[in-house]
Amino acid sequence: MNSEIEGERPSIADRVLAVDPDGRILVDGGAPAAGDGVALALARRVVDDLAAGAGEQAIAVDQTNTSVVVDGRFVVKLVGRWAAADRAARLLQRLAEAGSDDVARLKGRVEWRHPRLGTSTLAIVTEYLPGAEDGWTWAVDDVVAVLGGEADPDWPAILGTRVAHVHDALGTDARQAGTDAAGRRLTRAAGALRSAVTAAEGPSGARLRNRRTSLERDIRSLGETRPGFEFPIHGDLHVGQVLASPAPAGSRRYTIIDFDGDPQLSPDERERPDAAARDIAHLLVSLDLVAAVAQKRAGRVDTRAFDWADRARTELLDAYRAALGRAELFDPGLLPGFEAEQLVAELHYADRFLPVWRYAPDAAITYRHPSSNDHPEEPWTPPPFAPTSN
């Protein structure tokens, strides 16, 4: 069930909503917060059996939006900026209409009809998954356990199947990409590599430069690919976008979240349809990143982590291809170029915003691409593990 509010400064739970000149959505002039009653009031617009006094609890997982657990049953995602969740709302609605259980079940959304700005999603209400953790926790825990002698987990194949279901649902209106698709993909990936090389410094920079030839070779392959089909993909798919929550008999339920698109792209670029292979490439790269984080957690270089990643990648890709009903959506020839692009994009992101994360894409690039030995380099080693670090 969906709902709508109207006006330039509508009142919700005796609080005034407004949009500032920068596009931020404000509640009484500030950021919304659990306990102010706004999340509950919005949830009651799309959920019939919510009591007026139901509780609110903050979830500190989203820096862009405000997520609040209401009544211990629902998550209300309050959008932080005008139009920031329109894409996610549309895709979740399509998945709900397709009967998908691969994402958190959508209860409804509240739209805001603004006299100057038009109509945009204000809040998305989904089911709450108690005890859920994202993949940077549960996946790393599982790989650390593998390093300790336990059997490989079964979730790579499960994720491959779930992503196939999502792509089948979102790809119902897939269209043939334009004849310029190969050139666009090549230009974007080549630019990502140049930016990463320019920004990289120190030991990781030397390792990157020694692997530039190999990365360039994979990226150049994008220029030789067919246009193929494009549709609205997830856009930012990695293990951190998969929640694992307790299920009956000690099992887990895996749920894909966050359909806002790649945060490093402009809003217009995020709206563009893309190839299914980009989601798969990003997810495969994230398995390598999990292997790097597991070695950091273990406090040593352990080649068995990337041995696991090799097996997990194969299992995920095999399961995806087996479950994908619309086989025409996926072109495996795009994977090498898309993976290379994502690896260098991860490294460049770390160099700009999160230096403590640099070690992970550095490890994956070092493992996946041979060195030209043009520059002296040190072997990759994980940084010391600290519970408060990334």
Side-chain angles (χ1 to χ4, degrees):
M1 182 170 68
N2 298 326
S3 181
E4 185 177 271
I5 62 172
E6 296 185 26
E8 186 162 1
R9 294 175 60 85
S11 178
I12 301 292
D14 296 325
R15 311 270 182 173
V16 177
L17 303 183
V19 183
D20 77 3
D22 292 328
R24 293 179 301 172
I25 294 177
L26 306 177
V27 174
D28 283 350
D36 63 13
V38 173
L40 172 59
L42 293 173
R44 294 187 72 207
R45 287 175 167 265
V46 299
V47 179
D48 291 331
D49 63 342
L50 260 177
E56 297 183 350
Q57 178 185 354
I59 305 179
V61 296
D62 192 337
Q63 297 178 348
T64 304
N65 307 296
T66 301
S67 292
V68 179
V69 178
V70 172
D71 198 34
R73 295 187 293 153
F74 307 104
V75 174
V76 180
K77 178 179 179 177
L78 291 159
V79 180
R81 287 188 175 273
W82 185 263
D86 291 351
R87 179 184 195 272
R90 288 197 306 273
L91 299 190
L92 288 173
Q93 186 71 47
R94 290 186 64 174
L95 290 165
E97 291 168 355
S100 173
D101 63 355
D102 304 296
V103 299
R105 296 181 182 92
L106 179 68
K107 299 300 179 180
R109 70 180 187 270
V110 179
E111 294 189 323
W112 183 351
R113 186 182 296 275
H114 194 285
R116 291 184 298 103
L117 302 175
T119 301
S120 181
T121 298
L122 172 63
I124 300 173
V125 183
T126 58
E127 65 174 321
Y128 174 54
L129 301 170
E133 294 179 321
D134 73 54
W136 297 122
T137 298
W138 59 260
V140 173
D141 288 344
D142 285 354
V143 178
V144 170
V146 170
L147 300 183
E150 295 192 18
D152 285 2
D154 62 359
W155 52 260
I158 296 173
L159 296 194
T161 300
R162 288 198 171 278
V163 176
H165 293 164
V166 168
H167 281 176
D168 275 333
L170 297 181
T172 53
D173 298 325
R175 294 289 182 267
Q176 187 78 28
T179 55
D180 64 339
R184 284 191 288 104
R185 295 163 184 163
L186 175 58
T187 298
R188 170 176 160 175
L193 177 57
R194 285 194 301 271
S195 296
V197 170
T198 299
E201 298 177 346
S204 64
R207 288 188 287 269
L208 174 64
R209 289 179 175 86
N210 279 339
R211 289 156 180 82
R212 183 172 188 172
T213 298
S214 176
L215 288 160
E216 284 177 334
R217 181 182 61 248
D218 283 356
I219 286 172
R220 280 198 306 271
S221 71
L222 291 172
E224 303 165 1
T225 56
R226 299 167 297 174
F229 288 88
E230 295 183 332
F231 61 96
I233 62 171
H234 182 284
D236 188 32
L237 191 58
H238 52 76
V239 295
Q241 307 286 33
V242 181
L243 298 181
S245 55
S251 62
R252 288 175 179 165
R253 175 185 170 190
Y254 297 99
T255 306
I256 300 170
I257 63 170
D258 192 358
F259 285 78
D260 294 325
D262 188 342
Q264 297 191 70
L265 299 179
S266 69
D268 288 344
E269 289 174 312
R270 283 180 232 166
E271 288 290 346
R272 293 190 66 160
D274 208 338
R278 191 177 297 279
D279 271 351
I280 299 302
H282 287 197
L283 192 53
L284 293 175
V285 164
S286 76
L287 298 180
D288 286 347
L289 302 180
V290 167
V293 180
Q295 291 175 83
K296 177 182 178 180
R297 184 89 64 82
R300 65 183 185 277
V301 173
D302 194 326
T303 58
R304 294 177 299 167
F306 279 115
D307 291 341
W308 166 83
D310 289 339
R311 298 190 298 272
R313 287 162 59 95
T314 298
E315 292 166 10
L316 189 152
L317 188 54
D318 286 349
Y320 173 79
R321 299 185 74 166
L324 187 66
R326 305 174 190 274
E328 70 277 7
L329 298 179
F330 178 62
D331 180 1
L334 294 170
L335 287 180
F338 281 169
E339 287 188 50
E341 177 186 351
Q342 181 62 12
L343 284 170
V344 297
E346 287 277 356
L347 191 64
H348 191 212
Y349 174 86
D351 283 329
R352 288 184 297 167
F353 304 117
L354 195 63
V356 295
W357 178 243
R358 183 186 293 120
Y359 76 94
D362 178 22
I365 291 169
T366 300
Y367 177 73
R368 291 288 165 199
H369 292 272
S371 174
S372 64
N373 296 312
D374 292 335
H375 306 278
E377 69 171 57
E378 304 169 8
W380 177 86
T381 56
F385 171 67
T388 57
S389 66
N390 196 335

